[in-house]
Amino acid sequence: MAQMNFGGVMENVITREEFPLEKAREILKDETIAVLGYGVQGPGQACNLRDNGFNVIVGQREGKTYDKAVADGWVPGETLFSIEEAAQRGTIVCMLLSDAAQIAVWPTIKPYLTAGKALYFSHGFGITYKERTHIIPPADIDVIMVAPKGSGTSLRTMFLEGRGLNSSYAVYQDATGRATDRTLAFGIGIGSGYLFETTFKREVYSDLTGERGSLMGAIQGLLLAQYEVLRENGHTPSEAFNETVEELTQSLMPLFAKNGMDWMYANCSTTAQRGALDWMGPFHDAIKPVMQKLYESVKSGNEAQISIDSNSQPDYREKLNAELKALRESEMWQTAVTVRKLRPENN
Ligand SMILES: NC(=O)c1ccc[n+]([C@@H]2O[C@H](COP(=O)([O-])OP(=O)(O)OC[C@H]3O[C@@H](n4cnc5c(N)ncnc54)[C@H](OP(=O)(O)O)[C@@H]3O)[C@@H](O)[C@H]2O)c1
């Protein structure tokens, strides 16, 4: 474990240099990893583990997603099973079902979680909100987590490119004395860049805040507010979109992704720098109370309950799709379609 300085705060991280793949393979050599669910994280983690030489099986109910697993080379009856059978065969049972599905299948898979097995999550949701999810593991199994900080699709593509997505890890319950080794070996096995320590609670609080906040919810709110103000003041859709979204994603984000916000600022005009430095404060002050309200809503379990209630409905997918359709058909995102078409690389 290496101590690293993160902006003046020391934290422990695990890198691939100090925890090589061979060590991970040795630790998990007698394990059968059962990945339950083949949605987004399922394929990413299962395929990376398989390519890295681990003993992996997939548990997936029949239907389109099952067919996708077959297309990816998982063989029915050999490496692809029903959720129940995979849970029975696995020694590390991975809950890579949607959070609502984890609640639904829990009573069915719980009997298969016999002494010494490990129950693995990529999200702290099920355990942290256990009063709401009723996921209460038996005391004689390990309960562990590796949470990749990005989509399962990115986990897979970055692995294939020889890169790695960073992941957090946590041990909630160590019944065997091997829980930490199992967790770190798993994290290296799925192709994580580096691993940093968390708890189930901290992971879910930060994850739910992040996706509702700067990563997804807040970014749409911010971009739309600016787009609307420009449109209300007579700017064309093309101009409003370019100044709000296209320049951000195509030109500026790569700069601050690479070398930080100050470096992005330094590569813009001095007029832009003066304005950005003056206005970052008022934006921060306006947004912070909303962030605080969001964090409280996450902490109280309110966000979890909303998600459980809506995503447990039989028609949840149709309802989500209808809302996404409205977003897609909004003027700003319709303008985006045209702007993308006009990108030289798409002509
Ligand atoms: N999405 C990400 O990139 C990401 C990133 C980090 C962590 N995570 C965590 O990883 C876990 C898995 O997330 P995900 O996004 O991969 O999940 P997802 O795509 O939402 O989950 C879909 C999986 O759950 C199955 N499923 C849904 N309802 C079911 C039910 N009632 N009974 C049985 N199976 C059911 C689906 O099968 P069908 O297709 O047959 O419905 C599919 O295999 C979650 O804990 C999530 O928080 C996800």
Side-chain angles (χ1 to χ4, degrees), residues 37-38 40-41 60-61 65 97-99 101-102 122-123 150-152:
Y38 207 72
V40 185
Q41 274 302 316
Q60 170 60 44
R61 67 177 174 184
T65 311
L97 301 153
S98 69
D99 296 318
Q102 292 179 23
S122 281
H123 197 14
S151 158

Side-chain angles (χ1 to χ4, degrees), residues 48-60:
N48 288 3
L49 285 163
R50 180 174 65 180
D51 288 358
N52 271 337
F54 294 86
N55 179 21
V56 192
I57 59 173
V58 170
Q60 170 60 44

Side-chain angles (χ1 to χ4, degrees), residues 36-43 45 59-66 83 95-102 104-105 121-126 146-154 165 203 207 211 311 316-317:
L36 309 186
Y38 207 72
V40 185
Q41 274 302 316
Q45 297 194 23
Q60 170 60 44
R61 67 177 174 184
E62 298 220 352
K64 260 205 230 155
T65 311
Y66 184 94
I83 290 175
M95 288 287 242
L96 294 183
L97 301 153
S98 69
D99 296 318
Q102 292 179 23
V105 306
F121 293 87
S122 281
H123 197 14
F125 193 101
V146 176
K149 295 292 115 186
S151 158
T153 309
S154 313
L165 200 62
E203 192 282 333
D207 190 77
E211 66 204 9
N311 294 335
Y316 81 98
R317 187 60 75 187

Side-chain angles (χ1 to χ4, degrees), residues 17 35 76 115 120 156 167 206 229 276 293:
E17 285 72 46
V35 171
Y120 166 96
R156 182 66 181 155
S167 304
S206 57
V229 169
K293 194 171 157 192

Side-chain angles (χ1 to χ4, degrees), residues 34-233:
V35 171
L36 309 186
Y38 207 72
V40 185
Q41 274 302 316
Q45 297 194 23
C47 292
N48 288 3
L49 285 163
R50 180 174 65 180
D51 288 358
N52 271 337
F54 294 86
N55 179 21
V56 192
I57 59 173
V58 170
Q60 170 60 44
R61 67 177 174 184
E62 298 220 352
K64 260 205 230 155
T65 311
Y66 184 94
D67 299 342
K68 180 175 178 279
V70 173
D72 284 352
W74 301 98
V75 182
E78 279 179 34
T79 52
L80 178 58
F81 300 95
S82 68
I83 290 175
E84 293 74 18
E85 190 168 353
Q88 187 173 16
R89 287 171 178 258
T91 56
I92 300 182
V93 177
C94 308
M95 288 287 242
L96 294 183
L97 301 153
S98 69
D99 296 318
Q102 292 179 23
I103 299 171
V105 306
W106 176 249
T108 332
I109 67 156
K110 193 179 168 194
Y112 301 118
L113 300 173
T114 48
K117 286 195 180 188
L119 178 64
Y120 166 96
F121 293 87
S122 281
H123 197 14
F125 193 101
I127 293 290
T128 302
Y129 299 114
K130 58 182 184 297
E131 287 77 19
R132 297 167 195 267
T133 65
H134 309 294
I135 297 178
I136 300 171
D140 54 3
I141 64 165
D142 293 342
V143 181
I144 62 178
M145 175 174 73
V146 176
K149 295 292 115 186
S151 158
T153 309
S154 313
L155 185 74
R156 182 66 181 155
T157 49
M158 287 170 82
F159 174 82
L160 293 173
E161 291 164 6
R163 299 157 66 208
L165 200 62
N166 300 329
S167 304
S168 60
Y169 75 91
V171 172
Y172 176 76
Q173 192 168 284
D174 183 2
T176 64
R178 296 195 301 122
T180 303
D181 271 358
R182 276 171 146 176
T183 311
L184 298 180
F186 202 107
I188 295 298
I190 61 169
S192 301
Y194 73 82
L195 293 155
F196 61 96
E197 198 172 5
T198 186
T199 62
F200 276 61
K201 193 182 266 185
R202 288 208 311 260
E203 192 282 333
V204 72
Y205 287 5
S206 57
D207 190 77
L208 295 187
T209 301
E211 66 204 9
R212 281 153 182 73
S214 68
L215 306 177
M216 294 171 72
I219 186 95
Q220 167 64 14
L222 168 72
L223 298 176
L224 182 61
Q226 176 169 308
Y227 181 88
E228 283 173 350
V229 169
L230 290 172
R231 291 285 290 127
E232 284 154 17
N233 284 281

